[in-house]
Amino acid sequence: MLSQKVRSLQQSGTKPNILVVGDLMIDHYIIGDANRLSPEAPVPVVNVTKEFITPGGAANVAQNLLSLGAAITLGGVTGNDADAGKLTEILEREGVNASAIFSDKNRPTTVKTRVMAGSHQLVRVDRETTIPLLPELQHQFVANIKTAIDAADIIILSDYNKGLFSPELTQELIEAANAAGKKVIVDPKGLNYAKYKSAYIIKPNRKELAEAAKVESITNLEELQQAARVILQQTEAEYIVVTLSEQGMAIISELAYKLSPVKATSVFDVTGAGDTVIATMAYFIAQGLSVEEACELANHAAAIVIRQTGSAVTTVDEILQDIENR
């Protein structure tokens, strides 16, 4: 049984070394009460009761992996500003190796500020630049991260479309990983999936897959397979793993197709669930499990986090408990 395999891994005490490369950001929350409208404009006045920041984007993937028990190196680009210092401080305090984070004085650290009245989001304010790195900075970034690639058991590219993953840089990273014999799992964004050529797994959701394959919509499993095969041909990836919300996941390769049904019994908040899925997949593939087994476990992990509010993480023990409860 799958749960017995996972327990054996736990007992062995192995700790995979996972490199996460991606768009880094800070999630900034301003929370308060809104009981009246402003006399200046028809907008609510928020009396702030709490304010905090958490690592977001690829840094949230790293936090999911930490919770599972992996050793993490995180690579990405921040600005040369106070927010970069705050982000690095949090990550290092939590045990993330931040040595592969690169500073670019020409861009700000991405910050998403959410103003909340209770659990209701009133507005989100983004500070960001999505232009690609200058060519010389791209080369420096790849050169600096090659040591981390060599040391990793598996590599995640977490693309939030914030400017890091230009086609040139993405291909340099994948080529360096393949040359070192390391599998690359991609959480994609945007329409240009050709830049992910030769990745091991590409993990879009249904909407992202339809856009990338240039089809109007995906309404059934036949259309899903056809769209996935367009991307397989374009990228030469080994697998396309499509997250399907309430239907679970589809695992598609050139020769096979498998649907892994959803494990969720209730849904409160899907925030960050995609980060949990890719982190869980990478963690267990790095431990030697098959793609199908890793996706089954990722379904359980997603079911756990969407029962909670906000970006949440889970543990291997909680995943095992979820399996046994069913």
Side-chain angles (χ1 to χ4, degrees):
M1 287 178 63
L2 184 54
S3 59
Q4 291 173 332
K5 275 192 177 182
V6 175
R7 288 203 183 279
S8 295
L9 288 173
Q10 276 190 305
Q11 290 165 3
S12 72
T14 56
K15 194 170 189 176
N17 185 11
I18 299 177
L19 171 62
V20 180
V21 184
D23 292 302
L24 305 176
M25 58 190 76
I26 288 176
D27 288 325
H28 174 210
Y29 292 87
I30 299 172
I31 299 172
D33 301 317
N35 299 315
R36 63 191 179 93
L37 292 178
S38 168
E40 302 162 358
V43 295
V45 174
V46 178
N47 292 314
V48 177
T49 57
K50 185 165 62 172
E51 186 172 358
F52 60 92
I53 62 172
T54 62
N60 187 52
V61 177
Q63 289 192 306
N64 275 271
L65 286 162
L66 278 176
S67 184
L68 291 168
I72 309 301
T73 299
L74 182 60
V77 177
T78 65
N80 185 15
D81 51 28
D83 288 321
K86 292 175 188 175
L87 179 60
T88 303
E89 181 185 349
I90 293 171
L91 293 169
E92 290 179 340
R93 188 169 65 238
E94 293 181 350
V96 174
N97 179 351
S99 61
I101 296 177
F102 193 80
S103 175
D104 179 3
K105 65 181 180 181
N106 296 313
R107 66 201 305 121
T109 301
T110 299
V111 179
K112 295 181 179 179
T113 300
R114 297 169 177 88
V115 181
M116 315 280 292
S119 60
H120 179 64
Q121 185 176 146
L122 299 180
V123 67
R124 194 179 93 184
V125 180
D126 290 2
R127 300 179 184 92
E128 64 182 23
T129 292
T130 59
I131 58 173
L133 299 178
L134 295 173
E136 59 268 27
L137 291 181
Q138 291 188 33
H139 296 313
Q140 288 178 37
F141 180 79
V142 175
N144 288 346
I145 211 166
K146 280 188 176 177
T147 301
I149 289 173
D150 290 338
D153 295 313
I154 200 165
I155 297 158
I156 296 174
L157 302 186
S158 179
D159 191 349
Y160 276 78
N161 214 19
K162 302 301 180 187
L164 175 63
F165 289 107
S166 68
E168 298 79 16
L169 185 142
T170 308
Q171 273 300 288
E172 280 194 69
L173 289 170
I174 293 173
E175 286 170 8
N178 288 340
K182 307 302 169 69
K183 293 182 171 72
V184 176
I185 303 179
V186 178
D187 202 349
K189 280 290 185 296
L191 303 178
N192 180 16
Y193 278 32
K195 68 182 182 179
Y196 306 127
K197 186 176 180 180
S198 300
Y200 182 62
I201 297 173
I202 301 174
K203 186 204 74 64
N205 60 34
R206 189 200 313 256
K207 181 175 181 290
E208 290 166 341
L209 177 63
E211 291 171 347
K214 296 180 172 57
V215 297
E216 187 172 332
S217 63
I218 296 173
T219 58
N220 56 51
L221 296 181
E222 183 180 349
E223 291 174 352
L224 178 71
Q225 291 183 71
Q226 289 173 349
R229 295 196 191 287
V230 169
I231 302 304
L232 282 169
Q233 185 174 19
Q234 182 184 33
T235 63
E236 300 175 11
E238 294 286 331
Y239 296 92
I240 304 295
V241 175
V242 189
T243 52
L244 301 169
S245 188
E246 71 280 357
Q247 289 181 287
M249 288 184 217
I251 308 162
I252 303 158
S253 67
E254 284 291 350
L255 301 176
Y257 165 83
K258 181 179 179 182
L259 184 65
S260 181
V262 73
K263 308 300 176 186
T265 54
S266 57
V267 178
F268 289 102
D269 191 346
V270 298
T271 303
D275 292 340
T276 299
V277 166
I278 200 164
T280 308
M281 286 169 54
Y283 178 82
F284 286 109
I285 292 170
Q287 296 270 57
L289 271 61
S290 70
V291 172
E292 291 78 9
E293 289 169 330
C295 288
E296 176 80 5
L297 293 163
N299 258 342
H300 284 283
I304 293 164
V305 300
I306 65 177
R307 292 197 291 262
Q308 304 172 56
T309 301
S311 291
V313 297
T314 189
T315 65
V316 174
D317 283 335
E318 288 172 341
I319 292 170
L320 286 167
Q321 187 66 52
D322 198 69
I323 294 171
E324 289 161 5
N325 284 346
R326 296 170 197 277

